[in-house]
Amino acid sequence: EPEVTQTPSHQVTQMGQEVILRCVPISNHLYFYWYRQILGQKVEFLVSFYNNEISEKSEIFDDQFSVERPDGSNFTLKIRSTKLEDSAMYFCASSTTRRTGGREQYFGPGTRLTVT
Amino acid sequence: GESVGLHLPTLSVQEGDNSIINCAYSNSASDYFIWYKQESGKGPQFIIDIRSNMDKRQGQRVTVLLNKTVKHLSLQIAATQPGDSAVYFCAEDDTGGAAGNKLTFGGGTRVLVKP
């Protein structure tokens, strides 16, 4: 069964450093997403991406964040200058179409980001 | 990848019994709802979804009920098994699918299945 994969599973970085979190969505999916979950809190939407551009983003997704689909398989989240409060579990998700069914999003296993 | 939350409500259920997990949503404009299961160290796993033009949908051992009048969603698990122990989240989407969807998650309920 196809699944979303993410690397690395755990990333430790120092405050102020740049990090790139990587995801390989399900191969025939068209929509890609990033969510995060701070320990003890709800899963929060960050950004959705379709046709090589951002469809929607939350207030959390400020200028420090960016997303990219550098090739036909990878989807990345970059945080330019990490802050302590960026420590969280980051989930990538993908879905097929937005209107004609297939609105369910399939999540990867997550990357735990620890900023020290 | 678990929602550890000190304040996470917990449902303890005997193996073989039915489980009912409830969720109140806040946005009357939401037209799509999903239930996810999250096991320790894993990402949310899709269980079942329902659109706002329905009030009930059944899957394998699971049923989702939607009451739009009181903005309430429930997940029923029949014959609960030890493998059903996890944190369950409801999520809603109010975008109408117009912008790639944006799920708003609830706080989660921990289900513990006793053998």
Side-chain angles (χ1 to χ4, degrees):
Chain A
E1 183 176 319
E3 58 184 18
V4 177
T5 59
Q6 291 184 242
T7 55
S9 58
H10 191 189
Q11 174 86 48
V12 181
T13 189
Q14 289 188 328
M15 193 169 51
Q17 295 297 305
E18 174 184 287
V19 293
I20 298 176
L21 309 183
R22 303 181 189 280
C23 168
V24 178
I26 295 174
S27 62
N28 63 343
H29 283 186
L30 303 175
Y31 289 85
F32 314 113
Y33 312 86
W34 284 101
Y35 292 80
R36 78 173 186 188
Q37 186 177 31
I38 295 172
L39 189 64
Q41 298 187 21
K42 299 178 183 180
V43 176
E44 302 172 288
F45 171 83
L46 293 178
V47 65
S48 60
F49 189 87
Y50 169 73
N51 199 25
N52 284 319
E53 61 183 23
I54 291 174
S55 301
E56 189 159 348
K57 59 184 180 180
S58 71
E59 293 177 353
I60 303 168
F61 195 89
D62 61 22
D63 291 344
Q64 292 300 311
F65 291 86
S66 63
V67 289
E68 189 179 28
R69 188 154 165 81
D71 52 44
S73 60
N74 291 283
F75 180 51
T76 63
L77 174 69
K78 181 192 290 186
I79 309 175
R80 290 188 181 82
S81 178
T82 51
K83 303 185 286 287
L84 292 176
E85 53 265 38
D86 293 328
S87 294
M89 198 75 173
Y90 287 80
F91 294 108
C92 174
S94 67
S95 64
T96 50
T97 64
R98 61 184 179 181
R99 295 185 188 277
T100 58
R103 285 176 70 176
E104 65 269 24
Q105 296 180 24
Y106 294 90
F107 283 72
T111 293
R112 184 174 296 281
L113 177 64
T114 302
V115 183
T116 61
Chain B
E2 65 180 290
S3 176
V4 175
L6 292 176
H7 304 292
L8 208 61
T10 299
L11 174 68
S12 292
V13 60
Q14 200 70 37
E15 181 180 354
D17 287 352
N18 297 335
S19 303
I20 299 177
I21 307 163
N22 296 304
C23 176
Y25 65 93
S26 57
N27 189 347
S28 56
S30 292
D31 70 327
Y32 179 70
F33 305 87
I34 301 184
W35 280 99
Y36 284 96
K37 171 186 180 184
Q38 188 175 30
E39 297 173 282
S40 180
K42 298 183 179 180
Q45 176 188 353
F46 171 81
I47 301 174
I48 191 168
D49 59 357
I50 187 168
R51 296 176 187 258
S52 59
N53 60 353
M54 303 172 69
D55 54 22
K56 180 179 179 179
R57 189 160 188 232
Q58 288 184 290
Q60 187 176 15
R61 274 202 314 119
V62 294
T63 301
V64 56
L65 299 177
L66 175 63
N67 185 332
K68 295 183 287 296
T69 303
V70 294
K71 291 188 285 188
H72 183 267
L73 194 67
S74 68
L75 177 71
Q76 301 177 359
I77 304 174
T80 312
Q81 302 169 358
D84 294 327
S85 291
V87 177
Y88 289 80
F89 294 97
C90 66
E92 59 185 298
D93 178 15
D94 65 353
T95 64
N101 303 322
K102 178 187 74 175
L103 294 179
T104 300
F105 279 76
T109 297
R110 186 182 303 279
V111 172
L112 294 175
V113 181
K114 297 176 288 186

